[in-house]
Amino acid sequence: MHVPDGFINAPVSAATGVIAAGAIAVSLRGARRELDERTAPLAGLVAAFIFAVQMLNFPVAAGTSGHLLGGALAAILVGPYTGVLCVSVVLLMQGVLFADGGLTALGVNITDMALVTTVVAYLVFRGLVKVLPRTRRSITASSFVAALLSVPAAAVAFTFLYALGGTTDVSIGKVATAMVGVHVLIGIGEAAITALTVGAVIAVRPDLVYGARGLTQKLKLRVAGELVDAPAADTPAPAAARSHRKVWIAGLVTSLVLAGFVSFYASANPDGLEKVAADKGIDKKAEEHATSDSPLADYGVKDITDSRLSGGLAGVIGVGVTVVAGSAVFWALRRRRTADTDPASTASVSENA
């Protein structure tokens, strides 16, 4: 789904750049409310994990592959505003360092892959959670459906943008049919990855999943051979007091293994957009990437001839850069929120007034 330079004309690319900038500005403000003691340490890790899993293209049809978009996963794990920022950080790292997704098309990609997927997924997720029993299974099932629908929604959004500013004269109806058809299949893979990840985190630390806030597992006691609900604690320990270090380390190690090792076995077939573009002639005016001479272009390290080592090292570097960049952004927002809500600063403002 990474749109290269040359697919969309300059006016529409500029317009989506404005939309993307506005979405990021709104998300920066919204994320300050979402980034608490639980969310802030994990947001950068979520971005790195999405980067790693996006390297794992999986086959979906004859000669076509797909990969995670990540909007649904990010929104459910750390919140919709923070989710938009997570995917945007990933897209920026991919475009600048790995020549994946055009720089003039960065607004298109953020609008399509970060904004549309996150908004659609979170709206679907919240709607399902409200009508289903609030259990771990329902959270996981809602994650599956939300992720599934977010991918064809992004395909529809791309088709709309191409209808407005496509650089080749092709049948929009055929493009829409092909894009939605293949991305429904990709959506199944997205849904499976999202549900498995959300389910795994909920199983060990449900308090760390933004979309599962308020989900509690009642303690059972065996009385006279029967299981009964234990009395509620008068002053339960706050979830934020629990250490998240083990989860963070496990997530980082998993991301490094996926990007550095498992990615070598990913499908080499073109992804959904690349396949449709080649079949329908959308790619006739595609332009060479501005950073095609980057030392990490095409997810390989320049001058390293061993493809396994080159790709694995590039993946590890990508995870490291993404987790550092993402963590810096989210910790800065967290500190800004803390400063805004600090009683001392509030009192000072009141006295000056």
Side-chain angles (χ1 to χ4, degrees):
M1 189 69 78
H2 293 76
V3 179
D5 296 320
F7 274 27
I8 307 294
N9 64 25
V12 174
S13 294
T16 55
V18 173
I19 294 172
I24 290 175
V26 172
S27 296
L28 286 170
R29 293 183 63 87
R32 286 163 59 184
R33 297 191 298 270
E34 294 173 346
L35 292 168
D36 56 17
E37 292 82 357
R38 292 169 287 180
T39 309
L42 298 178
L45 177 62
V46 169
F49 181 78
I50 290 173
F51 175 92
V53 180
Q54 282 195 4
M55 294 183 67
L56 309 180
N57 281 47
F58 48 84
V60 294
T64 309
S65 70
H67 63 70
L68 182 81
L69 298 186
L73 179 62
I76 295 166
L77 288 180
V78 292
Y81 294 108
T82 308
V84 170
L85 297 178
C86 282
V87 181
S88 297
V89 168
V90 173
L91 292 172
L92 181 61
M93 295 298 102
Q94 291 171 330
V96 173
L97 298 179
F98 297 90
D100 188 11
L103 296 185
T104 62
L106 185 60
V108 174
N109 286 320
I110 289 177
T111 300
D112 195 24
M113 295 178 64
L115 181 59
V116 171
T117 58
T118 302
V119 170
V120 170
Y122 197 71
L123 288 176
V124 172
F125 175 80
R126 294 303 303 175
L128 291 173
V129 166
K130 286 183 179 180
V131 299
L132 293 175
R134 197 157 177 78
T135 64
R136 294 180 181 182
R137 289 185 179 181
S138 66
I139 295 292
T140 304
S142 299
S143 302
F144 184 95
V145 176
L148 174 63
L149 295 179
S150 70
V151 178
V156 171
F158 168 79
T159 304
F160 174 73
L161 293 175
Y162 198 82
L164 293 178
T167 55
T168 57
D169 186 15
V170 298
S171 170
I172 298 302
K174 292 182 179 179
V175 172
T177 300
M179 283 291 292
V180 173
V182 71
H183 283 91
V184 166
L185 298 177
I186 294 174
I188 297 173
E190 176 105 9
I193 294 170
T194 301
L196 287 172
T197 305
V198 172
V201 179
I202 286 180
V204 294
R205 289 292 301 273
D207 59 291
L208 295 181
V209 178
Y210 183 90
R213 296 284 173 89
L215 177 66
T216 58
Q217 184 74 19
K218 290 185 177 181
L219 179 64
K220 299 286 187 178
L221 297 177
R222 186 174 296 277
V223 178
E226 297 183 0
L227 288 176
V228 298
D229 291 337
D234 293 333
T235 55
R242 301 174 61 189
S243 174
H244 49 257
R245 182 176 300 176
K246 291 182 179 179
V247 175
W248 198 93
I249 293 174
L252 181 60
V253 170
T254 301
S255 300
L256 290 171
V257 170
L258 291 176
F261 178 72
V262 181
S263 62
F264 182 79
Y265 301 96
S267 173
N269 292 328
D271 65 24
L273 177 58
E274 291 172 336
K275 180 65 173 175
V276 172
D279 290 346
K280 305 302 179 184
I282 295 176
D283 60 355
K284 290 180 180 179
K285 295 188 178 181
E287 300 173 1
E288 185 178 10
H289 200 284
T291 61
S292 58
D293 58 348
S294 166
L296 298 173
D298 298 323
Y299 298 94
V301 179
K302 189 176 181 180
D303 298 330
I304 296 182
T305 56
D306 186 290
S307 59
R308 186 189 298 267
L309 178 60
S310 177
L313 184 57
V316 169
I317 293 172
V319 168
V321 171
T322 303
V323 76
V324 169
S327 297
V329 170
F330 299 126
W331 271 114
L333 289 174
R334 171 61 184 155
R335 289 171 62 186
R336 179 70 178 274
R337 167 182 167 167
T338 302
D340 290 346
T341 58
D342 180 56
S345 63
T346 303
S348 176
V349 171
S350 300
E351 290 174 1
N352 292 333

